[in-house]
Amino acid sequence: MQIDKYVPEVYTSLPEKGSVSWESPSNIALVKYWGKYGEQLPKNTSLSFTLSNCKTTTKLQYTKKEEGDFSFEVRLDGELEPDFRPKIETFFKRIEAYLPFLRSYHFEIETSNSFPHSSGIASSASGMSALALCLLSIERDLNPEMTDAFFKEKASFLSRLGSGSASRSIQGPLVVWGEHHAIPNSSNLFATQYDGEVHPIFKNYQDTVLLVDVGQKKVSSTVGHNLMHNHPYAESRFAQAQENIVKLQAILESGDVDGFVKLVESEALTLHAMMLTSMPYYILMSPNTLQIIEAIWEYREATGSKLCFTLDAGANVHLLYPKAEKDAVLELIKDKLVVYCQKGQYLCDNIGLGAKKIAQ
Ligand code: DP6
């Protein structure tokens, strides 16, 4: 089996205790993952920009105990966070075959985000990847022969089992997850760095996230993915995503920014169209999301700007644009868009290179 390689040799001795920290970024999909099967396997290929400033920092302390039930405590910004427990419990169950020491330790997980929790900027991507990286670092200490390449691959493999989009946060700047005939070595099991040609214009893209609704999501991504089963448009959506990957490859190579705008906005609206046409149907955009979209289209029409938007499974709007437009776009935000943001909040980010281990 392909996944056997992620099952380690039996450990001969485990350290009594230790501590490890990682920071891992969020990412923003250009071609979206929406629909999954089996154990966290994607129905279509997705391709994302890794972010830089939007990130989770996680410190994991581990102390040996009698082998038994999973044992952990999780804190967000220093406060116990019982709401995180079920997701982590599920994560541990899914990964224990690949990290057999999990039941032999008590874990103290301390985590903090550089952005508001559940702001819809995929905190599960940065959070789950940071935790996966901390856990895999324990194994790497036991097996120093592990190559860097294998470490990244297994970190992505484990992250995927926590949250699909988390598989894309280990590396950067462009990352692909899900098998695709036009992308050699692409896999459903883990994400890889996109190694096709990329025009310089796409190398320092900016992402400013307008925080339209900072509350908890009304419908979780997990529920949304499940509604793609028996969805009347699912099969054509999955086929469209596979075609969009090929189109995006050509766009990235040639620097066709107009093509980029069209493809990325269409992907965002298609994602939300899937939600509108699910049964039960639901809407995650808010009136302010639509106001912002209208304002972007007007601005583009008036100025010839290459600014475009994308959306995740929430009301927030990601503004994507070339670095050369930064001052003008920040001006636009202050003049016209900030009124649509909750408490006037927005986050400035740009493409990043992936997760980093923190020296302790
Ligand atoms: C809309 O990765 O949050 O952000 O695998 O159930 O944890 P789970 O879902 P999740 O889905 C995110 C979907 C998306 C699009 C994307 O990031 O590709």
Side-chain angles (χ1 to χ4, degrees), residues 33 36 39-41 84 86-96 98 123-133 135 154-168 177 189 221-222 225:
Y33 147 59
K36 58 181 171 179
E39 195 158 63
Q40 292 285 101
L41 299 166
F84 286 5
K87 216 166 170 177
I88 295 175
E89 188 90 34
T90 305
F91 180 47
F92 277 16
K93 277 188 204 135
R94 285 185 189 149
I95 63 173
E96 68 169 317
Y98 313 109
S123 57
S124 69
S126 53
M128 282 299 171
S129 53
L131 181 56
L133 283 157
L135 291 167
K154 184 166 173 180
S156 175
F157 171 88
L158 296 173
S159 301
R160 186 199 97 235
L161 293 168
S163 179
S165 54
S167 68
R168 300 189 311 242
W177 173 42
L189 296 175
S221 289
T222 305
H225 284 290

Side-chain angles (χ1 to χ4, degrees), residues 55-252:
K55 61 188 176 200
T56 298
T57 303
T58 297
K59 179 175 182 184
L60 183 72
Q61 288 172 285
Y62 47 100
T63 321
K64 211 157 151 201
K65 67 168 187 68
E66 280 294 303
E67 202 173 294
D69 290 344
F70 296 130
S71 170
F72 65 91
E73 246 170 18
V74 55
R75 286 186 171 74
L76 175 67
D77 300 326
E79 300 288 324
L80 275 179
E81 190 49 92
D83 291 357
F84 286 5
R85 292 192 68 86
K87 216 166 170 177
I88 295 175
E89 188 90 34
T90 305
F91 180 47
F92 277 16
K93 277 188 204 135
R94 285 185 189 149
I95 63 173
E96 68 169 317
Y98 313 109
L99 295 175
F101 57 76
L102 278 184
R103 289 181 187 274
S104 304
Y105 284 107
H106 170 72
F107 296 101
E108 294 282 342
I109 306 165
E110 279 172 44
T111 189
S112 61
N113 295 324
S114 65
F115 46 82
H117 170 58
S118 267
S119 55
I121 56 169
S123 57
S124 69
S126 53
M128 282 299 171
S129 53
L131 181 56
L133 283 157
C134 288
L135 291 167
L136 187 57
S137 290
I138 302 176
E139 186 192 326
R140 192 183 214 174
D141 287 346
L142 295 164
N143 175 15
E145 250 108 88
M146 190 188 289
T147 64
D148 231 30
F150 184 80
F151 180 85
K152 285 179 185 153
E153 180 180 312
K154 184 166 173 180
S156 175
F157 171 88
L158 296 173
S159 301
R160 186 199 97 235
L161 293 168
S163 179
S165 54
S167 68
R168 300 189 311 242
S169 280
I170 307 298
Q171 300 191 73
L174 280 158
V175 175
V176 66
W177 173 42
E179 266 167 48
H180 196 288
H181 66 85
I183 304 183
N185 305 322
S186 53
S187 170
N188 283 347
L189 296 175
F190 56 88
T192 47
Q193 213 167 18
Y194 176 67
D195 64 359
E197 284 293 312
V198 178
H199 188 277
I201 188 126
F202 294 119
K203 294 208 165 146
N204 52 15
Y205 244 61
Q206 308 291 303
D207 180 358
T208 302
V209 194
L210 303 181
L211 299 177
V212 173
D213 189 353
V214 199
Q216 288 279 347
K217 284 183 207 171
K218 281 172 281 184
V219 180
S220 74
S221 289
T222 305
V223 172
H225 284 290
N226 280 335
L227 291 173
M228 288 299 277
H229 298 299
N230 306 317
H231 189 292
Y233 308 129
E235 289 311 315
S236 42
R237 159 60 196 155
F238 302 142
Q240 177 201 39
Q242 298 312 90
E243 284 163 21
N244 277 347
I245 291 282
V246 176
K247 289 185 188 158
L248 185 56
Q249 282 186 297
I251 289 168
L252 291 173

